[in-house]
Each structure stands twice: as structure tokens, then as C-alpha cells.
Amino acid sequence: MRVKQDMPDISLATVYNCLDTFVQCGLVRQVVHERGATRYCANTEEHHHFYCDECHGTYDIPAAPSVSRFVFQVPAGFVVRHFEIVFQGLCPKCFAKRSESAEYP
Ligand SMILES: [Zn+2]
Ligand SMILES: [Zn+2]
């Protein structure tokens, strides 16, 4: 939407092609969630994602340095290049809304 303000004729395909290139260059990370649209995250630090069930927002969760891939039993022969933990639940805003309406999760 922001690019369209300066370049009204740009196609969505061009935008996605650019995003794909950014992903290949390691500038952004593609974030795929089974129930949501593909998103792109510009946080290049090692981190995980939290998905809110209510507002469908995606939030970055910093990676805990103590949680290494070695806590998972990765079978021999697999080379781990990246792993991500997916958190799912309510963001603080949506949790507050629920509490107000006395409808606890
Ligand atoms: Zn939310
Ligand atoms: Zn992220």
C-alpha cells in the first residue's frame, strides 16, 4: 500500500518478487502460518513468533539463548539450519478485552 502511493501502477506480483529476493538475500524472513497469510519479518535476529487467535497479529518472541537445538531430539543425519517455535494464544490487548467482558479464555 505504501509503495502504491509513489508508484500507482506497481503490480502485486512485482512487490512479491521483490520480497522473494529480500528473503534470498537474508534481509527479511518469510513467516508462514497455517491459518494466516504469508508475512515477511524484517527482524533478522534469531527469534520465534507468537500468533494471536483473536486479532491474528504476529509478534516476535526473542530466542532464549539457553534453548538450543540440542534440547530437541533431532535424528542423526538431519542438519538443522534454522528452527522456529510457534506460540499461539492471546496477545496482551486481546487478553485485556476478554478480561473486561468477563469471558475468560
Ligand atoms: Zn490479539
Ligand atoms: Zn519475526
XYZ file of all heavy atoms in Angstrom:
843
model
N 0.839 -1.205 0.000
C 0.000 0.000 0.000
C 0.873 1.254 0.000
O 0.557 2.238 -0.657
C -0.924 0.002 1.238
C -1.928 -1.133 1.292
S -3.017 -1.228 -0.141
C -4.287 -0.084 0.373
N 1.968 1.204 0.753
C 2.852 2.377 0.835
C 3.548 2.630 -0.495
O 3.686 3.781 -0.916
C 3.890 2.177 1.958
C 3.257 2.271 3.320
C 4.095 2.982 4.376
N 5.476 2.590 4.457
C 5.999 1.928 5.496
N 5.232 1.545 6.479
N 7.266 1.666 5.545
N 3.973 1.548 -1.175
C 4.649 1.717 -2.464
C 3.680 2.305 -3.488
O 4.050 3.144 -4.303
C 5.221 0.373 -2.962
C 5.772 0.498 -4.371
C 6.312 -0.123 -2.023
N 2.426 1.891 -3.415
C 1.418 2.341 -4.381
C 1.205 3.855 -4.343
O 0.801 4.468 -5.333
C 0.079 1.624 -4.137
C -0.103 0.405 -5.043
C -1.542 -0.053 -5.035
C -1.752 -1.319 -5.856
N -1.603 -1.125 -7.286
N 1.485 4.484 -3.208
C 1.351 5.942 -3.109
C 2.316 6.641 -4.066
O 1.987 7.662 -4.658
C 1.614 6.402 -1.673
C 0.476 6.018 -0.729
C 0.804 6.253 0.734
O 1.845 6.821 1.046
N -0.059 5.807 1.606
N 3.533 6.073 -4.199
C 4.535 6.673 -5.082
C 4.502 6.075 -6.484
O 4.850 6.733 -7.457
C 5.942 6.489 -4.498
C 6.104 7.264 -3.193
O 5.529 8.357 -3.094
O 6.791 6.762 -2.288
N 4.133 4.797 -6.576
C 4.107 4.099 -7.866
C 2.752 3.422 -8.033
O 2.625 2.220 -7.797
C 5.223 3.040 -7.922
C 6.620 3.599 -7.688
S 7.857 2.287 -7.486
C 7.897 1.620 -9.146
N 1.732 4.187 -8.454
C 0.358 3.639 -8.503
C 0.214 2.424 -9.429
O -0.711 1.626 -9.246
C -0.478 4.817 -9.029
C 0.375 6.025 -8.868
C 1.801 5.570 -8.916
N 1.103 2.281 -10.425
C 0.957 1.197 -11.400
C 1.668 -0.097 -11.000
O 1.609 -1.085 -11.732
C 1.484 1.647 -12.770
C 0.646 2.790 -13.346
O -0.549 2.868 -12.985
O 1.187 3.593 -14.127
N 2.347 -0.098 -9.874
C 3.108 -1.297 -9.492
C 2.147 -2.464 -9.237
O 1.063 -2.285 -8.662
C 4.000 -1.011 -8.249
C 5.038 -2.129 -8.087
C 3.173 -0.823 -6.983
C 6.162 -1.790 -7.116
N 2.536 -3.635 -9.720
C 1.658 -4.796 -9.529
C 2.056 -5.529 -8.259
O 3.195 -5.442 -7.792
C 1.761 -5.740 -10.726
O 2.969 -6.462 -10.671
N 1.101 -6.255 -7.732
C 1.338 -7.031 -6.518
C 2.430 -8.070 -6.768
O 3.234 -8.381 -5.891
C 0.033 -7.704 -6.095
C -0.176 -7.929 -4.594
C 0.002 -6.644 -3.808
C -1.560 -8.511 -4.349
N 2.462 -8.617 -8.002
C 3.470 -9.627 -8.344
C 4.877 -9.057 -8.208
O 5.784 -9.735 -7.711
C 3.238 -10.131 -9.767
N 5.047 -7.799 -8.621
C 6.363 -7.157 -8.506
C 6.763 -7.021 -7.040
O 7.910 -7.277 -6.660
C 6.333 -5.767 -9.177
O 5.911 -5.934 -10.532
C 7.685 -5.090 -9.144
N 5.796 -6.647 -6.232
C 6.064 -6.500 -4.790
C 6.514 -7.843 -4.211
O 7.510 -7.927 -3.494
C 4.810 -5.972 -4.053
C 5.018 -5.993 -2.540
C 4.475 -4.557 -4.524
N 5.780 -8.922 -4.571
C 6.131 -10.234 -4.032
C 7.457 -10.743 -4.587
O 8.210 -11.410 -3.885
C 4.996 -11.240 -4.251
C 3.931 -11.082 -3.186
C 2.738 -10.439 -3.464
C 4.151 -11.539 -1.893
C 1.776 -10.257 -2.480
C 3.211 -11.363 -0.903
C 2.016 -10.720 -1.198
O 1.092 -10.538 -0.214
N 7.757 -10.414 -5.868
C 9.061 -10.788 -6.424
C 10.193 -10.113 -5.656
O 11.222 -10.730 -5.375
C 9.146 -10.419 -7.909
C 8.310 -11.343 -8.770
O 7.958 -12.449 -8.354
N 7.970 -10.885 -9.965
N 9.989 -8.842 -5.316
C 10.991 -8.114 -4.527
C 11.153 -8.756 -3.159
O 12.274 -8.958 -2.680
C 10.603 -6.649 -4.361
S 10.752 -5.693 -5.864
N 10.013 -9.086 -2.531
C 10.073 -9.699 -1.204
C 10.810 -11.036 -1.265
O 11.604 -11.353 -0.385
C 8.655 -9.887 -0.649
C 7.992 -8.604 -0.131
C 6.514 -8.831 0.139
C 8.676 -8.088 1.132
N 10.570 -11.815 -2.338
C 11.273 -13.094 -2.509
C 12.775 -12.871 -2.596
O 13.556 -13.632 -2.020
C 10.778 -13.815 -3.768
C 9.468 -14.553 -3.518
O 9.103 -14.737 -2.336
O 8.807 -14.935 -4.505
N 13.169 -11.832 -3.326
C 14.592 -11.512 -3.444
C 15.167 -11.123 -2.086
O 16.263 -11.555 -1.721
C 14.797 -10.370 -4.467
O 14.191 -10.759 -5.699
C 16.268 -10.085 -4.695
N 14.402 -10.316 -1.328
C 14.853 -9.932 0.018
C 15.054 -11.175 0.886
O 16.001 -11.244 1.662
C 13.820 -9.013 0.693
C 13.743 -7.633 0.104
C 12.671 -6.800 0.425
C 14.719 -7.146 -0.742
C 12.590 -5.515 -0.099
C 14.639 -5.858 -1.277
C 13.577 -5.053 -0.950
N 14.139 -12.146 0.743
C 14.248 -13.378 1.531
C 15.534 -14.110 1.150
O 16.299 -14.551 2.014
C 13.013 -14.290 1.309
C 13.235 -15.677 1.926
C 11.756 -13.654 1.908
N 15.807 -14.210 -0.169
C 17.008 -14.919 -0.628
C 18.280 -14.228 -0.157
O 19.291 -14.884 0.083
C 16.998 -15.027 -2.155
C 16.114 -16.176 -2.647
C 15.695 -16.012 -4.093
O 16.443 -15.454 -4.888
N 14.509 -16.489 -4.423
N 18.230 -12.900 -0.020
C 19.399 -12.140 0.435
C 19.501 -12.124 1.956
O 20.459 -11.577 2.504
C 19.339 -10.704 -0.067
S 19.338 -10.552 -1.842
N 18.507 -12.665 2.636
C 18.544 -12.692 4.092
C 18.158 -11.372 4.743
O 18.469 -11.147 5.910
N 17.502 -10.492 3.994
C 17.100 -9.195 4.555
C 15.801 -9.298 5.336
O 15.571 -8.548 6.280
C 16.937 -8.154 3.434
C 18.229 -7.711 2.748
C 17.914 -6.869 1.519
C 19.095 -6.921 3.714
N 14.930 -10.178 4.912
C 13.685 -10.429 5.635
C 13.476 -11.935 5.714
O 14.085 -12.699 4.976
C 12.439 -9.767 4.964
C 12.550 -8.259 4.922
C 12.205 -10.325 3.581
N 12.633 -12.313 6.626
C 12.325 -13.733 6.768
C 10.865 -13.955 6.407
O 9.995 -13.161 6.780
C 12.561 -14.166 8.209
C 12.589 -15.678 8.377
C 12.107 -16.066 9.734
N 13.106 -15.836 10.774
C 12.932 -16.225 12.036
N 11.828 -16.838 12.390
N 13.849 -15.972 12.928
N 10.610 -15.009 5.649
C 9.235 -15.335 5.294
C 8.628 -16.085 6.473
O 9.223 -17.027 6.986
C 9.214 -16.200 4.043
C 7.843 -16.305 3.420
C 7.881 -17.053 2.107
O 8.694 -17.937 1.923
N 6.999 -16.704 1.209
N 7.472 -15.633 6.895
C 6.806 -16.248 8.030
C 5.500 -16.858 7.540
O 4.620 -16.143 7.071
C 6.522 -15.211 9.146
C 5.865 -15.875 10.339
C 7.806 -14.509 9.554
N 5.413 -18.162 7.604
C 4.229 -18.847 7.112
C 3.488 -19.442 8.296
O 4.068 -20.139 9.124
C 4.603 -19.964 6.112
C 3.343 -20.627 5.555
C 5.446 -19.402 4.985
N 2.229 -19.134 8.397
C 1.400 -19.693 9.454
C 0.231 -20.392 8.796
O -0.371 -19.851 7.871
C 0.914 -18.587 10.402
C 0.166 -19.107 11.581
N -1.110 -18.733 11.882
C 0.525 -19.990 12.529
C -1.513 -19.373 12.972
N -0.534 -20.134 13.388
N -0.065 -21.586 9.260
C -1.080 -22.420 8.608
C -2.426 -21.713 8.428
O -3.126 -21.948 7.458
C -1.272 -23.730 9.398
C -1.656 -23.509 10.844
C -1.589 -24.778 11.688
O -0.887 -25.723 11.285
O -2.238 -24.818 12.741
N -2.787 -20.843 9.379
C -4.113 -20.235 9.298
C -4.087 -18.784 8.840
O -5.101 -18.105 8.852
C -4.814 -20.340 10.662
C -5.326 -21.754 10.903
C -6.266 -21.800 12.064
N -5.537 -21.726 13.327
C -6.069 -21.301 14.463
N -7.303 -20.894 14.502
N -5.357 -21.279 15.558
N -2.944 -18.275 8.478
C -2.883 -16.874 8.093
C -2.148 -16.687 6.782
O -1.594 -17.625 6.215
N -2.164 -15.447 6.317
C -1.459 -15.110 5.095
C 0.047 -15.127 5.368
O 0.475 -15.015 6.509
C -1.885 -13.720 4.629
N 0.830 -15.300 4.320
C 2.280 -15.244 4.444
C 2.681 -13.819 4.816
O 2.175 -12.855 4.256
C 2.936 -15.640 3.114
O 2.562 -16.982 2.827
C 4.452 -15.546 3.193
N 3.550 -13.710 5.767
C 4.041 -12.405 6.184
C 5.551 -12.370 6.016
O 6.188 -13.409 5.893
C 3.714 -12.147 7.661
C 2.247 -11.901 7.916
C 1.953 -12.127 9.383
N 0.520 -12.074 9.642
C -0.108 -11.020 10.120
N 0.560 -9.929 10.404
N -1.402 -11.036 10.327
N 6.079 -11.176 6.034
C 7.520 -11.006 5.930
C 7.992 -10.227 7.140
O 7.401 -9.227 7.513
C 7.882 -10.288 4.632
C 7.541 -11.124 3.421
C 6.265 -11.087 2.872
C 8.475 -11.982 2.867
C 5.931 -11.876 1.789
C 8.157 -12.772 1.778
C 6.882 -12.718 1.240
O 6.555 -13.511 0.176
N 9.031 -10.736 7.779
C 9.535 -10.148 9.013
C 10.938 -9.609 8.774
O 11.795 -10.315 8.252
C 9.538 -11.213 10.102
S 10.174 -10.610 11.650
N 11.133 -8.347 9.159
C 12.429 -7.697 8.927
C 13.389 -7.884 10.104
O 14.501 -7.380 10.075
C 12.222 -6.214 8.648
N 12.968 -8.593 11.105
C 13.830 -8.861 12.257
C 14.761 -10.017 11.891
O 14.320 -11.152 11.733
C 12.951 -9.224 13.466
C 13.766 -9.467 14.730
O 14.994 -9.500 14.697
N 13.071 -9.642 15.831
N 16.059 -9.720 11.727
C 16.990 -10.758 11.273
C 17.665 -11.468 12.443
O 18.472 -12.365 12.240
C 18.067 -10.165 10.332
O 18.673 -9.048 10.985
C 17.445 -9.698 9.019
N 17.346 -11.037 13.679
C 17.857 -11.753 14.848
C 17.162 -13.112 14.946
O 16.038 -13.257 14.480
C 17.556 -10.956 16.137
C 18.171 -9.572 16.179
C 19.676 -9.610 16.419
O 20.108 -10.329 17.326
O 20.394 -8.937 15.660
N 17.808 -14.060 15.584
C 17.183 -15.362 15.819
C 15.992 -15.143 16.755
O 16.138 -14.596 17.841
C 18.200 -16.309 16.462
C 17.775 -17.760 16.495
C 17.695 -18.406 15.125
O 18.486 -18.036 14.225
O 16.830 -19.275 14.952
N 14.798 -15.487 16.293
C 13.630 -15.290 17.142
C 12.491 -16.201 16.702
O 12.580 -16.866 15.679
C 13.179 -13.819 17.116
C 12.641 -13.363 15.782
N 13.438 -13.029 14.732
C 11.364 -13.185 15.355
C 12.688 -12.672 13.702
N 11.421 -12.757 14.052
N 11.463 -16.213 17.507
C 10.298 -17.058 17.246
C 9.077 -16.159 17.082
O 9.173 -14.951 17.227
C 10.126 -18.057 18.394
C 11.389 -18.818 18.688
N 11.901 -19.768 17.829
C 12.274 -18.718 19.708
C 13.033 -20.235 18.322
N 13.289 -19.626 19.456
N 7.927 -16.769 16.790
C 6.728 -15.963 16.562
C 5.561 -16.409 17.420
O 5.380 -17.586 17.679
C 6.338 -15.992 15.071
C 7.299 -15.233 14.220
N 8.200 -15.847 13.397
C 7.513 -13.910 14.100
C 8.939 -14.922 12.798
N 8.546 -13.741 13.196
N 4.794 -15.415 17.822
C 3.576 -15.634 18.598
C 2.402 -15.191 17.734
O 2.399 -14.082 17.202
C 3.623 -14.790 19.887
C 2.473 -15.046 20.837
C 2.648 -15.807 21.972
C 1.207 -14.516 20.579
C 1.588 -16.040 22.844
C 0.146 -14.756 21.442
C 0.338 -15.514 22.571
N 1.421 -16.055 17.580
C 0.235 -15.721 16.796
C -0.953 -15.547 17.721
O -1.234 -16.397 18.551
C -0.077 -16.849 15.797
C 1.021 -17.051 14.790
C 1.997 -18.014 14.992
C 1.080 -16.274 13.639
C 3.022 -18.195 14.078
C 2.094 -16.451 12.725
C 3.055 -17.415 12.941
O 4.060 -17.579 12.043
N -1.647 -14.423 17.565
C -2.834 -14.187 18.392
C -4.064 -14.768 17.683
O -4.307 -14.484 16.513
C -3.023 -12.693 18.651
S -4.511 -12.352 19.616
N -4.812 -15.585 18.424
C -6.006 -16.224 17.866
C -7.105 -15.221 17.555
O -7.952 -15.462 16.701
C -6.561 -17.259 18.861
C -5.625 -18.433 19.037
O -4.886 -18.751 18.086
O -5.632 -19.033 20.126
N -7.134 -14.102 18.283
C -8.233 -13.137 18.141
C -7.995 -12.140 17.013
O -8.793 -12.022 16.106
C -8.425 -12.375 19.461
C -8.832 -13.251 20.631
C -10.330 -13.478 20.711
O -11.103 -12.555 20.357
O -10.724 -14.573 21.125
N -6.878 -11.389 17.100
C -6.653 -10.316 16.130
C -5.768 -10.794 14.972
O -5.521 -10.043 14.044
C -6.028 -9.101 16.812
S -4.366 -9.393 17.449
N -5.296 -12.049 15.050
C -4.432 -12.643 14.022
C -3.131 -11.867 13.848
O -2.504 -11.925 12.794
C -5.173 -12.785 12.685
C -6.478 -13.520 12.826
N -6.550 -14.845 13.149
C -7.762 -13.083 12.745
C -7.816 -15.224 13.245
N -8.579 -14.165 13.014
N -2.747 -11.150 14.890
C -1.473 -10.441 14.861
C -0.315 -11.414 15.041
O -0.480 -12.493 15.619
N 0.843 -11.042 14.529
C 2.058 -11.836 14.685
C 3.049 -11.017 15.496
O 3.271 -9.848 15.192
C 2.664 -12.159 13.309
O 1.667 -12.793 12.518
C 3.850 -13.098 13.428
N 3.614 -11.608 16.503
C 4.543 -10.906 17.385
C 5.857 -11.661 17.465
O 5.862 -12.895 17.492
C 3.933 -10.767 18.789
C 2.601 -10.044 18.769
C 1.415 -10.755 18.577
C 2.540 -8.672 18.893
C 0.189 -10.107 18.517
C 1.318 -8.003 18.847
C 0.153 -8.731 18.657
O -1.051 -8.075 18.599
N 6.947 -10.912 17.495
C 8.264 -11.519 17.611
C 8.544 -11.887 19.063
O 8.297 -11.095 19.967
C 9.345 -10.547 17.133
C 9.340 -10.394 15.621
O 8.580 -11.136 14.953
O 10.101 -9.550 15.110
N 9.054 -13.076 19.267
C 9.467 -13.532 20.594
C 10.973 -13.771 20.523
O 11.420 -14.596 19.721
C 8.760 -14.869 20.972
C 7.235 -14.735 20.878
C 9.202 -15.343 22.348
C 6.590 -13.871 21.919
N 11.758 -13.056 21.334
C 13.208 -13.257 21.266
C 13.575 -14.710 21.581
O 12.928 -15.345 22.414
C 13.751 -12.324 22.353
C 12.644 -11.405 22.710
C 11.362 -12.107 22.373
N 14.576 -15.215 20.903
C 15.021 -16.584 21.136
C 15.791 -16.631 22.445
O 16.655 -15.799 22.692
C 15.903 -17.059 19.988
N 15.442 -17.568 23.296
C 16.177 -17.742 24.547
C 17.494 -18.437 24.229
O 17.483 -19.504 23.629
C 15.346 -18.563 25.530
N 18.626 -17.846 24.611
C 19.911 -18.439 24.247
C 20.094 -19.835 24.825
O 20.817 -20.651 24.266
C 20.944 -17.473 24.840
C 20.192 -16.325 25.392
C 18.743 -16.650 25.428
N 19.402 -20.107 25.940
C 19.587 -21.415 26.580
C 18.861 -22.526 25.821
O 19.145 -23.702 26.014
C 19.088 -21.367 28.023
O 17.728 -20.991 28.037
N 17.906 -22.133 24.984
C 17.175 -23.155 24.229
C 17.913 -23.382 22.917
O 17.807 -22.613 21.982
C 15.715 -22.729 23.949
C 14.986 -23.800 23.148
C 14.984 -22.461 25.248
N 18.695 -24.409 22.876
C 19.413 -24.718 21.647
C 18.700 -25.860 20.944
O 17.774 -26.462 21.472
C 20.849 -25.123 21.954
O 20.868 -26.442 22.444
N 19.124 -26.122 19.748
C 18.503 -27.209 19.013
C 18.769 -28.556 19.692
O 18.126 -29.543 19.407
C 19.003 -27.233 17.574
C 20.446 -27.641 17.402
C 20.821 -27.474 15.954
N 22.166 -27.930 15.681
C 22.456 -29.176 15.340
N 21.521 -30.084 15.267
N 23.697 -29.501 15.085
N 19.720 -28.559 20.620
C 20.078 -29.824 21.257
C 19.049 -30.271 22.275
O 19.079 -31.402 22.729
C 21.478 -29.719 21.883
C 22.523 -29.369 20.863
C 23.100 -28.121 20.832
C 22.893 -30.307 19.901
C 24.041 -27.795 19.865
C 23.833 -29.987 18.935
C 24.405 -28.723 18.913
N 18.136 -29.367 22.680
C 17.087 -29.806 23.592
C 16.047 -30.622 22.819
O 15.244 -31.325 23.405
C 16.387 -28.645 24.347
C 17.398 -27.828 25.147
C 15.598 -27.762 23.425
N 16.052 -30.509 21.510
C 15.155 -31.315 20.696
C 15.926 -32.529 20.198
O 17.123 -32.435 19.943
C 14.639 -30.507 19.495
C 13.953 -29.243 19.911
C 14.612 -28.030 19.857
C 12.652 -29.270 20.377
C 13.977 -26.857 20.259
C 12.021 -28.102 20.773
C 12.677 -26.903 20.721
N 15.248 -33.630 20.077
C 15.939 -34.834 19.646
C 15.892 -34.932 18.130
O 15.078 -35.652 17.560
C 15.325 -36.056 20.325
C 15.479 -35.939 21.836
C 15.236 -37.242 22.565
O 14.575 -38.131 22.046
N 15.759 -37.352 23.763
N 16.772 -34.171 17.518
C 16.863 -34.191 16.062
C 17.570 -35.479 15.647
O 18.687 -35.733 16.094
C 17.645 -32.959 15.543
C 17.741 -32.985 14.027
C 16.978 -31.675 16.012
N 16.914 -36.314 14.843
C 17.528 -37.587 14.461
C 18.849 -37.381 13.732
O 19.045 -36.372 13.050
C 16.489 -38.217 13.513
C 15.217 -37.511 13.794
C 15.599 -36.126 14.233
N 19.740 -38.311 13.900
C 21.041 -38.244 13.241
C 20.839 -38.146 11.736
O 19.894 -38.719 11.182
C 21.860 -39.486 13.584
N 21.696 -37.400 11.080
C 21.617 -37.279 9.637
C 20.925 -36.018 9.181
O 21.061 -35.604 8.038
N 20.156 -35.389 10.100
C 19.479 -34.135 9.745
C 20.372 -32.964 10.137
O 20.887 -32.918 11.260
C 18.138 -34.002 10.475
C 17.082 -34.942 9.943
C 16.939 -36.211 10.480
C 16.241 -34.548 8.915
C 15.976 -37.081 9.997
C 15.276 -35.410 8.424
C 15.145 -36.680 8.961
N 20.556 -32.047 9.222
C 21.360 -30.852 9.501
C 20.399 -29.683 9.722
O 19.676 -29.296 8.798
C 22.326 -30.544 8.330
C 23.101 -29.258 8.601
C 23.272 -31.715 8.106
N 20.361 -29.163 10.926
C 19.443 -28.062 11.257
C 20.078 -26.738 10.836
O 21.168 -26.394 11.281
C 19.126 -28.033 12.772
C 18.208 -26.858 13.105
C 18.489 -29.339 13.202
N 19.409 -26.025 9.969
C 19.888 -24.693 9.589
C 19.105 -23.608 10.307
O 19.580 -22.519 10.499
C 19.737 -24.500 8.081
C 20.791 -25.243 7.303
C 20.770 -24.820 5.868
N 21.929 -25.293 5.166
C 21.898 -25.717 3.903
N 20.780 -25.702 3.230
N 23.001 -26.132 3.324
N 17.874 -23.917 10.621
C 17.010 -22.945 11.279
C 15.893 -23.708 11.979
O 15.457 -24.735 11.489
C 16.409 -21.999 10.217
C 15.264 -21.187 10.719
N 15.444 -20.055 11.477
C 13.930 -21.353 10.595
C 14.260 -19.564 11.794
N 13.330 -20.320 11.276
N 15.488 -23.231 13.127
C 14.287 -23.805 13.730
C 13.482 -22.691 14.345
O 13.996 -21.638 14.699
C 14.630 -24.899 14.764
C 15.131 -24.385 16.078
C 14.263 -24.211 17.150
C 16.463 -24.070 16.245
C 14.724 -23.739 18.371
C 16.935 -23.592 17.462
C 16.075 -23.434 18.522
N 12.193 -22.901 14.413
C 11.318 -21.869 14.931
C 10.256 -22.499 15.806
O 9.672 -23.518 15.451
C 10.652 -21.115 13.766
C 9.804 -19.962 14.254
C 9.144 -19.169 13.128
O 9.581 -19.282 11.971
O 8.179 -18.466 13.432
N 10.039 -21.864 16.954
C 8.978 -22.315 17.848
C 7.775 -21.404 17.597
O 7.920 -20.177 17.532
C 9.423 -22.234 19.325
C 10.644 -23.135 19.550
C 8.284 -22.628 20.256
C 11.304 -22.943 20.893
N 6.606 -22.000 17.414
C 5.397 -21.217 17.161
C 4.566 -21.181 18.438
O 4.183 -22.210 18.969
C 4.579 -21.830 16.002
C 3.259 -21.088 15.833
C 5.388 -21.791 14.713
N 4.340 -19.976 18.933
C 3.483 -19.770 20.093
C 2.128 -19.325 19.572
O 2.044 -18.602 18.586
C 4.049 -18.682 21.010
C 5.419 -18.985 21.555
C 6.553 -18.651 20.854
C 5.550 -19.605 22.785
C 7.822 -18.929 21.360
C 6.817 -19.881 23.306
C 7.949 -19.545 22.589
N 1.074 -19.746 20.230
C -0.265 -19.381 19.794
C -1.120 -19.086 21.011
O -1.026 -19.797 22.017
C -0.857 -20.547 19.006
C -1.896 -20.127 18.001
C -2.344 -21.314 17.173
O -1.530 -22.133 16.765
N -3.631 -21.406 16.949
N -1.918 -18.041 20.952
C -2.780 -17.713 22.088
C -3.356 -16.332 21.954
O -3.831 -15.966 20.878
N -3.325 -15.562 23.035
C -3.885 -14.217 23.032
C -2.777 -13.207 23.284
O -1.957 -13.400 24.182
C -4.946 -14.066 24.131
C -6.206 -14.909 23.993
C -7.079 -14.744 25.226
C -6.982 -14.528 22.744
N -2.789 -12.123 22.513
C -1.843 -11.037 22.755
C -2.370 -10.242 23.955
O -3.533 -10.400 24.343
C -1.704 -10.162 21.510
S -3.127 -9.118 21.167
N -1.524 -9.385 24.565
C -1.973 -8.647 25.761
C -3.252 -7.845 25.529
O -4.126 -7.789 26.404
C -0.787 -7.720 26.057
C 0.390 -8.401 25.462
C -0.117 -9.116 24.240
N -3.373 -7.207 24.346
C -4.565 -6.403 24.044
C -5.826 -7.266 24.049
O -6.839 -6.912 24.641
C -4.422 -5.777 22.661
C -4.165 -4.279 22.686
C -4.278 -3.725 21.274
C -3.355 -2.528 21.094
N -3.206 -2.173 19.675
N -5.765 -8.381 23.346
C -6.941 -9.257 23.245
C -7.252 -9.918 24.583
O -8.413 -10.133 24.915
C -6.722 -10.296 22.155
S -6.633 -9.563 20.515
N -6.199 -10.213 25.355
C -6.429 -10.805 26.673
C -7.149 -9.804 27.565
O -8.068 -10.163 28.306
C -5.117 -11.253 27.307
C -5.293 -11.839 28.675
C -5.930 -13.052 28.848
C -4.844 -11.154 29.804
C -6.113 -13.592 30.112
C -5.025 -11.679 31.067
C -5.657 -12.907 31.231
N -6.734 -8.521 27.485
C -7.366 -7.478 28.297
C -8.838 -7.331 27.921
O -9.704 -7.184 28.782
C -6.638 -6.155 28.115
N -9.125 -7.384 26.619
C -10.504 -7.279 26.144
C -11.362 -8.402 26.703
O -12.487 -8.206 27.131
C -10.538 -7.351 24.613
C -10.638 -5.983 23.943
C -10.883 -6.162 22.452
C -9.941 -5.289 21.652
N -9.775 -5.774 20.278
N -10.794 -9.610 26.703
C -11.519 -10.766 27.225
C -11.815 -10.620 28.707
O -12.881 -10.984 29.177
C -10.668 -12.036 27.027
C -10.738 -12.541 25.642
C -11.121 -13.998 25.669
N -11.263 -14.483 24.320
C -11.288 -15.744 23.997
N -11.160 -16.664 24.930
N -11.456 -16.122 22.770
N -10.814 -10.115 29.453
C -10.985 -9.954 30.887
C -12.086 -8.956 31.189
O -12.871 -9.149 32.122
C -9.662 -9.483 31.519
O -8.633 -10.350 31.166
N -12.138 -7.865 30.390
C -13.174 -6.852 30.587
C -14.572 -7.434 30.406
O -15.485 -7.144 31.153
C -13.011 -5.706 29.571
C -11.945 -4.698 29.954
C -11.541 -3.818 28.782
O -12.338 -3.671 27.823
O -10.419 -3.282 28.816
N -14.714 -8.278 29.390
C -16.032 -8.845 29.124
C -16.309 -10.064 30.009
O -17.274 -10.778 29.805
C -16.158 -9.222 27.640
O -15.221 -10.219 27.328
N -15.418 -10.286 30.989
C -15.573 -11.363 31.962
C -15.687 -12.739 31.317
O -16.184 -13.676 31.915
C -16.770 -11.100 32.892
N -15.216 -12.830 30.110
C -15.292 -14.097 29.385
C -13.881 -14.671 29.325
O -13.138 -14.438 28.405
C -15.839 -13.825 27.977
C -16.100 -15.055 27.150
C -16.283 -14.686 25.693
O -17.098 -13.780 25.405
O -15.626 -15.312 24.858
N -13.493 -15.332 30.367
C -12.117 -15.811 30.494
C -11.782 -16.883 29.459
O -12.661 -17.646 29.088
C -11.893 -16.336 31.914
C -10.812 -15.562 32.633
C -10.947 -14.196 32.847
C -9.653 -16.197 33.056
C -9.959 -13.492 33.503
C -8.665 -15.485 33.692
C -8.819 -14.136 33.920
O -7.841 -13.432 34.524
N -10.543 -16.912 28.996
C -10.187 -17.907 27.993
C -10.264 -19.339 28.542
O -10.077 -19.544 29.702
C -8.754 -17.570 27.612
C -8.221 -16.712 28.688
C -9.403 -16.034 29.322
Zn -4.588 -10.082 19.640
Zn 9.563 -12.027 13.260
